[in-house]
Amino acid sequence: MPELPDVQVFREYVDATSLHVPIVAVHVDAEHELDGVSARSVAATLRNRTLEGTARHGKHLFIALGGSPARWLRLHFGMTGGLRAWSGEGGPDPAHVRLRIGLEGGRKLAYLCTRRLGAIGLVESPDETIEELELGPDPLEDDVGRDRFGEILGAHSGRIKTTLMDQKVLAGLGNVYTDEILFQAGVPPEARIPDLDSTVMQEIHRVMRRVLRKAIRVRVDPERMPRRWLLPRRDDGRACPRCDGQILKVEVGGRPTFVCDRHQGVRPS
DNA sequence: TTCCATGTTCCGCA
DNA sequence: TTGCGGAACATGGA
């Protein structure tokens, strides 16, 4: 699930469960992809410090460590990553734990990543990652207003879906939420940006912010999402919840894409 | 057994 | 330079 809203929920989860308590034990899965650091140095850096606060940019979660030198733990969740916190000694770890942080008092925080497509790193600041990966702005940042959004996307000429998902353009949208946004905005995902007029671009911007905020508010629980959303109904052949069209599975930019054949004006390709 | 998947990156081509 | 298709990575579920 880890797109922007999911990572924001992870962030709030860390805030609620794991801050300001000394780290007394660290386990790192040596098989997991680490971003330029050894498992040993991750463990050594975390031990005896605290998790002091969190930040997020796009799909990246950053957790500030207390003490010095200044360091942030960077977590990226790939396609199948997540977090889990629990208390108590007994019982085995959940499956696919790649990083487990034991806190004083017995609570544990674990980063799970089934397919190991995520990444764990240590950085001096979130900006270091943003610069290194050339990430675009986060779509929920205050300064991504409709004019800036138009400028950013207007600099590109490819398909709207592919461009929205490009982390160097905007950081945070993935396959599922991009489909949701274009579905709600009534825009065919294969449309090329130069063919979309400014009214349509403003609508995409408005819907994007609304969808991301709402998904966070319902804690990315599909059952709590509005009935007219696509996300809980990504199935080929389902009835469209917004019109009398049908949900179709197509392919755009090599990714499975769900669209309404009626209100998104999909053309056979 | 085969296909598929919420992500990213690299390569070759136009 | 930009965009795009394909492949690769690793793993489990349908």
Side-chain angles (χ1 to χ4, degrees):
Chain A
M1 309 171 187
E3 298 185 32
L4 185 156
D6 310 274
V7 178
Q8 178 65 26
V9 170
F10 295 154
R11 177 188 178 187
E12 293 170 9
Y13 185 67
V14 173
D15 288 343
T17 62
S18 305
L19 298 186
H20 316 305
V21 181
I23 297 167
V24 294
V26 181
H27 166 76
V28 184
D29 172 8
E31 302 292 307
H32 192 87
E33 171 78 11
L34 296 176
D35 185 41
V37 285
S38 69
R40 180 178 303 182
S41 81
V42 169
T45 302
L46 293 179
R47 201 169 290 126
N48 298 322
R49 309 228 309 194
T50 54
L51 305 176
E52 274 303 309
T54 58
R56 182 190 58 72
H57 189 95
K59 302 174 188 174
H60 299 259
L61 172 62
F62 301 93
I63 307 178
L65 304 181
S68 62
R71 286 287 182 279
W72 296 69
L73 177 65
R74 177 179 81 91
L75 298 176
H76 186 278
F77 297 89
M79 280 174 137
T80 55
L83 294 178
R84 185 85 56 84
W86 69 96
S87 290
E89 297 298 323
D93 279 1
H96 315 301
V97 167
R98 310 304 180 197
L99 169 64
R100 185 187 63 231
I101 296 171
L103 303 174
E104 193 174 276
R107 177 169 283 278
K108 298 186 176 78
L109 175 69
Y111 162 85
L112 322 172
C113 196
T114 307
R115 284 169 63 188
R116 299 184 204 262
L117 292 174
I120 301 169
L122 286 171
V123 293
E124 290 184 22
S125 71
D127 283 346
E128 182 183 323
T129 297
I130 294 167
E131 285 167 25
E132 188 179 318
L133 299 179
E134 302 174 65
L135 297 177
D138 186 286
L140 288 183
E141 271 169 28
D142 290 341
D143 63 345
V144 185
R146 77 171 52 147
D147 292 344
R148 175 118 189 268
F149 179 81
E151 286 167 19
I152 290 169
L153 287 172
H156 298 268
S157 59
R159 295 186 173 123
I160 184 65
K161 170 165 178 171
T162 312
T163 309
L164 286 171
M165 286 179 63
D166 184 341
Q167 302 300 295
K168 295 183 179 176
V169 177
L170 284 176
L173 301 179
N175 198 38
V176 168
Y177 282 94
T178 302
D179 278 3
E180 183 68 47
I181 291 161
L182 296 175
F183 172 82
Q184 291 193 28
V187 175
E190 77 278 16
R192 291 183 175 275
I193 290 174
D195 297 332
L196 300 175
D197 65 32
S198 65
T199 312
V200 173
M201 294 305 290
Q202 288 178 13
E203 176 66 2
I204 294 171
H205 173 262
R206 190 179 69 83
V207 170
M208 174 185 77
R209 307 259 293 197
R210 189 183 65 204
V211 164
L212 296 175
R213 290 198 177 109
K214 180 67 176 177
I216 292 165
R217 203 174 310 130
V218 301
R219 312 203 72 73
V220 298
D221 178 352
E223 306 215 333
R224 294 172 63 195
M225 290 177 186
R227 284 197 180 73
R228 286 160 59 81
W229 278 31
L230 169 68
L231 196 151
R233 307 173 180 76
R234 291 171 67 83
D235 284 307
D236 200 24
R238 293 280 285 270
C240 175
R242 299 176 98 85
C243 72
D244 50 10
Q246 191 179 25
I247 303 302
L248 296 182
K249 182 182 180 186
V250 297
E251 192 174 288
V252 176
R255 304 300 301 277
T257 300
F258 291 85
V259 290
C260 172
D261 64 357
R262 191 173 183 100
H263 81 265
Q264 283 180 280
V266 179
R267 299 173 291 271
S269 54

